[in-house]
Amino acid sequence: MSVEEKTKELSVYESMAARYDVAARKLGLDEGLSNYLRTPNREIIVHIPVSMDDGTLRVFDGYRVQHSIARGPCKGGVRYSPDVTLDEIRGLAAEMTWKCAVVNIPFGGAKGGVICDPFKLSTGELERITRRYTAEIFDYIGPERDVPAPDMNTNEQTMAWIMDTYSMHMRHTVTASATGKPYSLGGSLGRREATGRGCMMTADEALKRFRWHRESTRVIVQGFGNVGSQAARLMHEAGYKIIGVADISGGVMNTNGIDIPGLWKYKEANKTIKGFPNTEPIGAQEILEQDCDLLLPAATESVITSKNAHKVKAKLLVEGANSPTTPPADDILFDRGVFVIPDILANAGGVTVSYFEWVQDRQGYFWTEAMVNERLKHIMVTSFNAVVNFGDKHKVNNRIAAYMLAIDRVAFCINLRGIYA
Ligand code: GLU
């Protein structure tokens, strides 16, 4: 779907604001406070010069939006994509504030992005973009200020460059300046799998509610990047029946189940999942409308809209991506009885283990993978139940319940701190 088509419904920031307004009204939030919390604290725009491999000089536009520091330092990913806009980063930064509050970790929200096509850049060019971007926002980041992490098209290597650039400016190594780093540079065991694992942990809780069994739960995953590929792998290992997977190049289906370890190997060798043996081809958008029990969109935003929400056949929607569903689609899904585990809950496993990584870096004491996963599970299960019980009590859907819970926690801190004059 093109950017123009996506923005026709509601932009990412508008989607966030629409849900926020419903939740804030239901909470009876003071109007002034409500306006304050809908708006980010700070928006940084940088224009970064980068020497390209062919000897030319190019300027890239980048953003870092810091939405709130009410509960602690800002936290959030940095994405690289030609589709990055300030509106998108602004919406996702606010969502990070709500996400951190839903899982009750001591951070506010931020998001960053650089407009570039990482698939058309060399490793050297990506490194220079990353270092200059970090240098430009240096004054505003750091373990106590704002801690970047991976997001769309960025990874452990990108975080190693951010941490190194920050450390070079500080004149000493500051591992807690970024999370999602390689393990040997202060990364955490389990961080790479954390978002996908968290999705599965919340799905498991929903299954308990429905009295469903993993073995008979047919799953479709849209997206085979970090979140989708890890979710598919872990869910396959746990016994779920993965019948469809899609990435940008297209999807593959087999109603008898897909060999996920085989698909991982195939993707590694062919850079695509297209043409994987023993599967039928299907479009990346069409896959959302196929018959299944659990749909896990883990690719990008605004893929479920008013145009296709009525065609979604899944009874359980687990939002691995940020903002995959638009507010008009929310209403359609709700009316049709689809149980939605909203993004700010379902995919919060990533930022939760980022928090663990930040804690470990600051203590210089590293946990075993079993400790990480056990503590992650405790947080995901507690948060799932808090959201669903809140929704049942206040007769609102899970998304509005998650927003209400989060906004209430942030507003409580602001009221305690007071407004500095
Ligand atoms: N980019 C991830 C997200 O959207 C992780 C953020 C983090 O770990 O700080 O939640």
Side-chain angles (χ1 to χ4, degrees):
M1 201 188 292
S2 70
V3 183
E4 295 76 54
E5 271 175 296
K6 274 195 233 166
T7 46
K8 261 185 218 157
E9 189 134 315
L10 277 183
S11 73
V12 176
Y13 180 74
E14 285 167 345
S15 293
M16 188 290 300
R19 287 150 177 163
Y20 171 86
D21 285 341
V22 173
R25 210 174 318 121
K26 284 194 186 290
L27 282 170
L29 207 67
D30 167 81
E31 200 187 322
L33 182 57
S34 174
N35 289 336
Y36 171 42
L37 270 182
R38 195 192 299 104
T39 323
N41 283 170
R42 183 183 277 146
E43 304 185 348
I44 307 160
I45 303 178
V46 295
H47 304 288
I48 45 178
V50 176
S51 299
M52 307 304 284
D53 291 349
D54 65 4
T56 58
L57 183 70
R58 265 181 69 186
V59 178
F60 292 87
D61 298 331
Y63 309 105
R64 184 75 181 169
V65 175
Q66 299 175 333
H67 176 262
S68 169
I69 54 165
R71 288 166 46 89
C74 290
K75 188 84 194 77
V78 177
R79 56 174 58 187
Y80 290 170
S81 158
D83 296 339
V84 164
T85 63
L86 180 55
D87 174 284
E88 172 197 46
I89 300 299
R90 187 185 284 142
L92 295 172
E95 283 199 16
M96 285 308 303
T97 301
W98 315 136
K99 192 184 297 184
C100 293
V102 164
V103 286
N104 221 348
I105 58 176
F107 289 133
K111 199 73 157 201
V114 178
I115 306 175
C116 66
D117 187 346
F119 299 103
K120 294 194 180 131
L121 296 164
S122 70
T123 306
E125 289 167 340
L126 279 170
E127 177 173 353
R128 292 192 290 279
I129 289 175
T130 305
R131 288 190 182 279
R132 189 61 192 250
Y133 170 74
T134 309
E136 293 293 333
I137 62 170
F138 172 75
D139 288 337
Y140 301 98
I141 60 174
E144 303 287 352
R145 293 199 168 107
D146 178 3
V147 188
D151 199 81
M152 209 184 272
N153 301 329
T154 58
N155 53 30
E156 292 178 10
Q157 177 62 76
T158 324
M159 295 309 118
W161 291 328
I162 292 181
M163 188 277 278
D164 182 71
T165 307
Y166 184 86
S167 298
M168 290 300 110
H169 283 246
M170 292 300 287
R171 316 298 293 162
H172 63 100
T173 297
V174 187
T175 53
S177 57
T179 60
K181 302 180 298 297
Y183 182 63
S184 50
L185 291 176
S188 175
L189 292 172
R191 175 62 184 85
R192 197 181 294 167
E193 300 81 12
T195 312
R197 191 181 294 280
C199 288
M200 180 172 78
M201 287 167 168
T202 58
D204 282 346
E205 290 307 294
L207 257 62
K208 276 189 209 155
R209 255 180 101 88
F210 302 156
R211 296 181 205 286
W212 285 4
H213 296 286
R214 286 169 169 174
E215 289 68 23
S216 49
T217 303
R218 297 163 306 149
V219 179
I220 289 181
V221 181
Q222 187 205 38
F224 208 61
N226 177 262
V227 181
S229 64
Q230 296 289 356
R233 184 177 67 80
L234 293 165
M235 290 175 90
H236 173 82
E237 280 169 11
Y240 282 88
K241 191 168 174 184
I242 316 288
I243 61 162
V245 176
D247 70 6
I248 346 165
S249 61
V252 294
M253 290 277 303
N254 181 345
T255 48
N256 293 319
I258 296 174
D259 163 25
I260 299 295
L263 188 64
W264 265 65
K265 285 198 197 103
Y266 185 87
K267 167 105 190 209
E268 214 170 278
N270 300 282
K271 304 280 167 251
T272 175
I273 59 170
K274 220 167 154 177
F276 182 57
N278 296 321
T279 59
E280 297 292 323
I282 180 134
Q285 268 297 116
E286 289 70 55
I287 206 165
L288 300 171
E289 299 163 16
Q290 302 308 303
D291 192 20
C292 67
D293 303 300
L294 190 166
L295 180 62
L296 202 159
T300 187
E301 56 243 21
S302 307
V303 294
I304 302 173
T305 67
S306 59
K307 294 185 190 71
N308 62 356
H310 55 284
K311 295 187 196 151
V312 168
K313 302 203 175 51
K315 279 274 158 272
L316 175 57
L317 182 69
V318 182
E319 295 186 334
N322 286 318
S323 206
T325 311
T326 62
D330 275 348
D331 296 336
I332 299 170
L333 295 174
F334 187 66
D335 288 346
R336 296 183 56 240
V338 179
F339 189 91
V340 177
I341 308 182
D343 49 3
I344 56 174
L345 169 64
N347 73 31
V351 74
T352 300
V353 178
S354 273
Y355 165 54
F356 296 163
E357 181 174 333
W358 179 81
V359 168
Q360 292 170 77
D361 285 336
R362 286 158 60 102
Q363 292 192 334
Y365 175 70
F366 290 85
W367 309 351
T368 63
E369 191 164 355
M371 278 163 80
V372 170
N373 290 341
E374 190 190 313
R375 288 169 180 180
L376 172 65
K377 185 166 179 187
H378 174 75
I379 289 187
M380 295 309 294
V381 170
T382 311
S383 307
F384 175 93
N385 288 310
V387 167
V388 173
N389 293 340
F390 193 98
D392 287 346
K393 189 166 158 208
H394 296 272
K395 309 228 173 327
V396 291
N397 65 42
N398 291 340
R399 187 176 325 271
I400 297 302
Y403 265 71
M404 287 174 74
L405 201 69
I407 294 167
D408 196 38
R409 285 179 179 163
V410 178
F412 184 76
C413 289
I414 290 177
N415 284 329
L416 273 179
R417 289 174 68 151
I419 302 294
Y420 177 72

